[in-house]
Amino acid sequence: MPGADFTRALVISTRSWSESSRIVTILSPDLGKFRAVCRGVQKPQGGMAAALEPITLSEIVLRQSSRGGMAHVSAADAVEYFACTKKSLIGLAVAGGLLELCETAMPENEPADAVFDHLLSLLNELETLLRQREHSERNAINLLWRGILVLSGDFGYGMQFETCVACGAVPHRAKGFCLAEGGPVCDACSVPNSLNWGPGTEEILRWLASAEDSALPARTIPRTQNREIRTLFERYFRFHVPGFDHLRSLDMLVAKRDQ
Ligand SMILES: [Zn+2]
């Protein structure tokens, strides 16, 4: 429908389209996730270019195409740059992982109030953690794990860590996690497409799903468990999202550790 829309939006990703224009993927509470063309934003000093960088909250004016093509961004003003997040490697990895998930696993052009609110509060918590420096930067990864649990619920295939997916029992300790049903499998049950987990990982996942927001930045999860959680989540999304491979934004953390 032709006309102009004014919306608050999170910039998910951007790529060059021609010498002077870019295509941005944007998440707006009322318009959902969509792609739009922006002309004249390749000049590095332009304020509009900064407002259309990934990991930025902006007010944008959109002009809808009369021929049903992509909308054009005719103006954009940044509201929040998330400056501490963009200066930190783990900040970029965590925020990048959350946005990447929206880009790959969320349907386009559907209203997205819940996803938008959840994503914005996760990005705000991440920015606060990195700015205050009260806790280890490493703990920022907890916000990605929590975000994955919250967003997968918003996308329609949430996970739980309380009751066995086959018999409904509340296991003291489950032997693994069922990818198809998104929940634990107790010792007595046998379920296809399930993944075994090591000691500790189940308890940490249960904590990640239920902890108060304010408690999340205070705990340092051991590397072994972080690796196992990453594997579980990536296998889970591979099972539920066609074409999903892995969380690319986390590769930069692994590459740095291996140096
Ligand atoms: Zn069971």
Side-chain angles (χ1 to χ4, degrees), residues 164 167 186 189:
C164 171
C167 69
C186 78
C189 293

Side-chain angles (χ1 to χ4, degrees), residues 11-33:
V11 183
I12 293 181
S13 68
T14 176
R15 64 184 171 86
S16 290
W17 192 41
S18 70
E19 260 181 31
S20 64
S21 59
R22 286 200 226 169
I23 292 180
V24 285
T25 303
I26 290 169
L27 180 70
S28 131
D30 24 277
L31 302 171
K33 179 183 74 171

